[in-house]
Structure formats: structure tokens, C-alpha cells
Amino acid sequence: MLNEIKRVSKIIEEVNPYDVVILSHPDHDGLTATVLFETYFTKYHGTKSRKVLYPSKDLPYRFIFRRLINERPKILLILDALVEKYKNFITRLVEGGTITINIDHHDIVDISHNNYFDLNPHKWGLEYVNTSSLAWQVLREIDRDYFDERCWLAGIGSVQDLCYYDNKLLFKTMYKRGLSNISSYEDLFDSDLMRCAKMINATCHKVGPDYVYSKLLDASISNSLKILLEDDKMVNSYNVYVKELKKIHEYFSNNHREYPDMNLIAYKHPKRARTSLIAEICEIDKRPSIYFGYYEGLLGFASLFYDFDVRELARLFNGSGPH
């Protein structure tokens, strides 16, 4: 993996930021990875990338890729974007001359072309390395001290994705520099980095990813996590999220069944609640069980404190997930 990191690092070191378009997942991992690259461009070139694109209901992936095929950017940087189902679009881009770097920890997108680079930890048998950690490793090959000082950005992405066990370099660097006291998997959940990750996601939902991107970039250039933790809009968005989560947790507490012989706790989701909330309920309870949520044909599984890979259950229903 280190050789591939160095290859990508060499490309980034030689690009003009104006030639770079970034396609990013607008969450704690995609945005921190994006801002790490934008921090590099700003420091070394005095400008940011040409533009950053996020998928949304109004701008789905297929529209984004069609636009990119027409525009033909020189460099496309895909970050944490789950684009496996759009492989044909990416193939058209690289065949048209766009150098495409896909940095992700979800599905491997295997395209055989000299213009395509796929930096995915699963290719090397690593399960728990997230996208912003990969971005940090690419950039520290260019300027180790500068980006080691800002490794907390990658830490934000790592803690929310629970990427601890294969991310020892990142957590060791944060610990050595006094940026985090996380020394075990259990430490992830009550850390400032976890709080910040949840603030990012809540603010993306309530205010929008452009605002979060701007605040993250300010915090990165200033090298200050405090800028994020004390931002009024982010704090308010987080407080709304916590309040709503408490209501849903109370509902779940009164609408569940337990199957101790199977270490299973089953919930019926309230109307319109996303099935991914089951992981957040599991995080609150901290019980060594498999959590199972259901709503109108949608299923969600989580097992944060019990040694079982819930993806095995998801596959029975033709489902999937990164962890």
C-alpha cells in the first residue's frame, strides 16, 4: 500500500490545483479528506482546487459524471464516494484522458488503465483504514511535519468510522503530538474527535456541506480543532441532533424485543427514521449484542460492542455496508 500511496503523492505534488476537480461524500470522512487536500493546495499553490462536487438528491452521481465527461477535467479526485456502480462512467473519463484517483475504503473499483489509480485498503487486506487517513498518508509523504500537525483531521474521519485497529500510525501520531489520548477502541466513543465528527454530520444535514467545508478549511489552516468545537452553527446543529436522538432512543427503549440466546435486540423503527440510526442506538447502549432495526422493508444491523460481523446478516438480505 505504501508504494501506491507514494505514486498518488507524486501525482498530487506535480498538479496545478486549477486542473483538479474533487468529488466527495459530504460527511465526516469525505469532507475531512477533501479539506486535507485543499489545505495542501492552499499552502503550496495559494489556491484551492477548481471545484468540489457533492452528490445529493438534486445532483445525483449519474448527473455529476455526465457533466464531468463533458467537461473532461485533467485530474479527478474521488474521495469516500462509493462509486462502484458508476464504474462505466469512470472508465469513460479515464479513456478520455482524465487522470482519476479514487481514494476510498468501501468497494474496490477495479479499472485497468494508466490514467486510473485506486487507493483502497481492502486491496491489501486492511479492514479499518478510512478515506481521510489515506489522504493524510498521501500528503505526509510531501510534507510530513506540516500534516502530522494536522493529523487530527484524519482522526475525525477515523473515529466515526470506527477505523482503529488498522490505523495505528494515525493514532500513534495523534497521541505523540498530544492531539488525542485515544489508546483503545473503547476510547473512540467519548472523544472530542467523535463529538466533532457528529457535529460535522449534523451540520451538513441542517446547514449544508459548503458551510462545513469552509469551517473545516479555516480550522485546518489555523490548525485548531477548537474552531469547529466552538462554532455556533455546528454546536446548535449538534444539539438538535442529540435532542432528536434522545427521543428516538426513548421510543426504541419502549419498542423492542430481546433474544438473549442469540445476543439479539430487535427494534421497529419510528416512521421516517433512517435505518442507520440503529448504530447510534447501539453506541448509546454499549451492550454486547447484535442490534437489528426494521421499518417498511428496510433493515439495519449494528454490532459495535459484540464480536460479530453484521455484514454477514446484511448479505442474507442482499445488503452491504463498509463495516
Side-chain angles (χ1 to χ4, degrees):
M1 188 170 79
L2 181 58
N3 288 336
E4 191 71 7
I5 285 171
K6 289 182 176 180
R7 288 177 67 198
V8 172
S9 179
K10 186 68 174 175
I11 295 170
I12 295 298
E13 193 171 12
E14 295 176 353
V15 302
N16 181 337
Y18 186 76
D19 294 330
V20 179
V21 172
I22 298 176
L23 172 58
S24 173
H25 187 206
D27 72 348
H28 59 279
D29 198 20
L31 283 171
T32 49
T34 298
V35 164
L36 280 164
F37 281 106
E38 295 286 53
T39 301
Y40 165 75
F41 294 144
T42 301
K43 173 176 169 57
Y44 281 89
H45 299 274
T47 186
K48 297 181 290 185
S49 65
R50 182 175 171 184
K51 61 182 172 182
V52 179
L53 299 170
Y54 315 109
S56 66
K57 289 182 179 180
D58 297 326
L59 189 64
Y61 276 120
R62 64 183 182 277
F63 289 173
I64 290 174
F65 278 116
R66 285 170 184 162
R67 180 187 298 179
L68 290 172
I69 288 169
N70 289 331
E71 294 178 358
R72 293 189 179 183
K74 289 185 178 180
I75 307 286
L76 174 62
L77 194 54
I78 304 175
L79 302 174
D80 198 49
L82 298 117
V83 292
E84 196 275 335
K85 66 171 69 174
Y86 305 100
K87 181 177 177 179
N88 290 339
F89 287 106
I90 299 171
T91 301
R92 289 174 62 186
L93 277 166
V94 299
E95 289 177 348
T98 297
I99 296 173
T100 301
I101 302 170
N102 184 23
I103 303 179
D104 194 12
H105 65 123
H106 300 96
D107 296 330
I108 295 172
V109 183
D110 191 16
I111 298 173
S112 181
H113 197 284
N114 289 337
N115 286 338
Y116 181 73
F117 301 86
D118 185 47
L119 185 52
N120 189 311
H122 293 288
K123 292 166 66 175
W124 296 276
L126 297 173
E127 177 76 19
Y128 298 107
V129 180
N130 61 301
T131 301
S132 57
S133 174
L134 293 168
W136 169 70
Q137 291 179 63
V138 166
L139 294 167
R140 74 191 298 266
E141 288 294 321
I142 301 173
D143 190 334
R144 181 153 301 185
D145 190 60
Y146 186 82
F147 284 97
D148 278 2
E149 287 179 352
R150 288 157 177 79
C151 62
W152 54 268
L153 275 161
I156 292 171
S158 299
V159 296
Q160 179 65 64
D161 279 350
L162 308 180
C163 288
Y164 177 75
Y165 293 110
D166 293 327
N167 243 343
K168 293 300 176 66
L169 174 63
L170 173 60
F171 284 96
K172 181 179 179 181
T173 303
M174 287 194 292
Y175 190 85
K176 282 177 64 177
R177 289 184 172 258
L179 301 171
S180 169
N181 59 359
I182 295 172
S183 59
S184 69
Y185 174 82
E186 289 73 20
D187 290 342
L188 300 177
F189 297 96
D190 296 318
S191 64
D192 283 344
L193 294 177
M194 180 66 85
R195 176 183 174 87
C196 191
K198 294 183 184 301
M199 290 173 70
I200 287 171
N201 292 338
T203 310
C204 281
H205 177 72
K206 186 174 175 57
V207 182
D210 288 333
Y211 181 82
V212 178
Y213 163 88
S214 176
K215 297 308 297 186
L216 274 169
L217 189 57
D218 287 347
S220 177
I221 291 172
S222 302
N223 195 25
S224 172
L225 177 64
K226 188 177 180 180
I227 288 176
L228 302 174
L229 293 174
E230 296 183 354
D231 179 75
D232 287 342
K233 287 186 178 180
M234 295 187 70
V235 170
N236 290 338
S237 297
Y238 174 75
N239 288 339
V240 170
Y241 154 78
V242 170
K243 187 176 180 180
E244 291 175 349
L245 188 60
K246 284 181 178 178
K247 290 181 180 178
I248 293 172
H249 182 259
E250 182 179 348
Y251 173 89
F252 278 177
S253 297
N254 297 319
N255 292 272
H256 74 280
R257 292 185 179 181
E258 298 189 18
Y259 304 89
D261 292 345
M262 296 185 289
N263 280 13
L264 178 68
I265 301 174
Y267 292 91
K268 181 179 179 182
H269 277 247
K271 189 175 182 180
R272 294 187 300 276
R274 65 189 190 278
T275 54
S276 61
L277 276 171
I278 201 69
E280 296 172 78
I281 299 303
C282 179
E283 183 180 329
I284 293 172
D285 288 348
K286 292 183 170 59
R287 295 178 61 180
S289 300
I290 300 167
Y291 281 64
F292 164 66
Y294 170 83
Y295 174 67
E296 291 190 355
L298 296 175
L299 305 177
F301 300 96
S303 179
L304 304 182
F305 302 95
Y306 180 62
D307 189 15
F308 181 81
D309 188 348
V310 292
R311 289 173 300 182
E312 293 183 19
L313 290 175
R315 292 186 192 106
L316 294 175
F317 302 93
N318 199 32
S320 63
H323 309 300

